[in-house]
Every structure is written in structure tokens, then in C-alpha cells.
Amino acid sequence: MQHKIKSIRPFIGAKDFELSRSFYRDLGFEEIVLAPNFSVFKTSETAFYLQDYYAKEWIENTMIFLEVDDVDRYYAELLALKLPEKYSESKLIPIQNLDWGRECFLHDPSGVLWHFGEFKK
């Protein structure tokens, strides 16, 4: 089998759909509304779907890894956004150095855990 994949787009849910939409726009994603309860958020060729659906066990166990080119710069930009101040359920965790590389973490308002990482070269 030869994969000629052009993209992968996870589906994530939201406890408060409008709040999550605002959070992801503030995070710098472009929103394309597909239906009143369903949007795609894009940046360059990377995208994910946000749906107005919440299942606590599912959402609180959802993790997304986003590889970035410079985790130090990315973390500084995340700090500057002050998302945890604007979204009380959001939490930003500083960079950690690991065997494979470095990453920081961001919880969205629903509990989805984003990993922003850079692999060792």
C-alpha cells in the first residue's frame, strides 16, 4: 500500500462550543464554519475539526501533538497570548526537555491537551 496522504484532521469536541471557537481563533487558527455546530480550524496545511459535542471521558483524554520548528519561540508566543487569563479553564505548561526533544503543553477550555514539540535534530 502506498500512502499519498495530503493531510490528517482530528475531530475534537467542546464543552462550550462558542468559547472553544473563540479560544482557537485567539490561538491563531482560521475558522471555516461548516455548520452551526461544526467548524474546521486551519493554519497553513494543518487543520482540525471542532464540533459542538462533549463527552467528558473522551475530551479529557484527547491529546494532539503539533510539531513546531522552534519550541522556545512558540512558547514565548503562547505566553504573550495570555490564554489562561482570558480562558479560566485553559492551562499553559512550560517547556520540558525530554529524551526525544522538547515540548510545552496547552489545555484548551474543554480539557483537550495540546503538545507543542520540537524533535532533536
Side-chain angles (χ1 to χ4, degrees), residues 54-67:
Y54 181 74
K56 182 177 173 55
E57 287 186 31
W58 169 52
I59 299 299
E60 291 183 356
N61 284 288
T62 298
M63 293 186 279
I64 300 173
F65 182 88
L66 186 66
E67 183 181 359

Side-chain angles (χ1 to χ4, degrees), residues 7-13 38-41 46-51 58 62-65 114:
S7 72
I8 186 168
R9 296 181 179 188
F11 287 72
I12 62 173
F38 189 60
S39 292
V40 64
F41 285 82
T46 302
F48 65 92
Y49 295 103
L50 180 71
Q51 54 193 335
W58 169 52
T62 298
M63 293 186 279
I64 300 173
F65 182 88
W114 286 79

Side-chain angles (χ1 to χ4, degrees), residues 64-66 68 70-72 74-76 78 91-98 100 102-107 113-118:
I64 300 173
F65 182 88
L66 186 66
V68 298
D70 181 345
V71 76
D72 291 305
Y74 205 88
Y75 181 68
L78 287 171
K91 182 170 40 170
L92 180 60
I93 300 167
I95 296 170
Q96 295 182 8
N97 296 306
L98 304 161
W100 57 266
R102 307 171 72 224
E103 68 180 338
C104 62
F105 307 91
L106 179 66
H107 291 266
L113 177 59
W114 286 79
H115 297 241
F116 301 105
E118 176 183 1

Side-chain angles (χ1 to χ4, degrees), residues 17-54:
F17 186 64
E18 294 305 318
L19 185 70
S20 290
R21 290 176 65 210
S22 177
F23 175 85
Y24 286 113
R25 288 190 302 262
D26 285 350
L27 190 53
F29 287 94
E30 172 194 358
E31 180 183 17
I32 300 165
V33 176
L34 302 174
N37 61 350
F38 189 60
S39 292
V40 64
F41 285 82
K42 297 179 78 173
T43 182
S44 300
E45 297 300 315
T46 302
F48 65 92
Y49 295 103
L50 180 71
Q51 54 193 335
D52 188 7
Y53 177 77
Y54 181 74

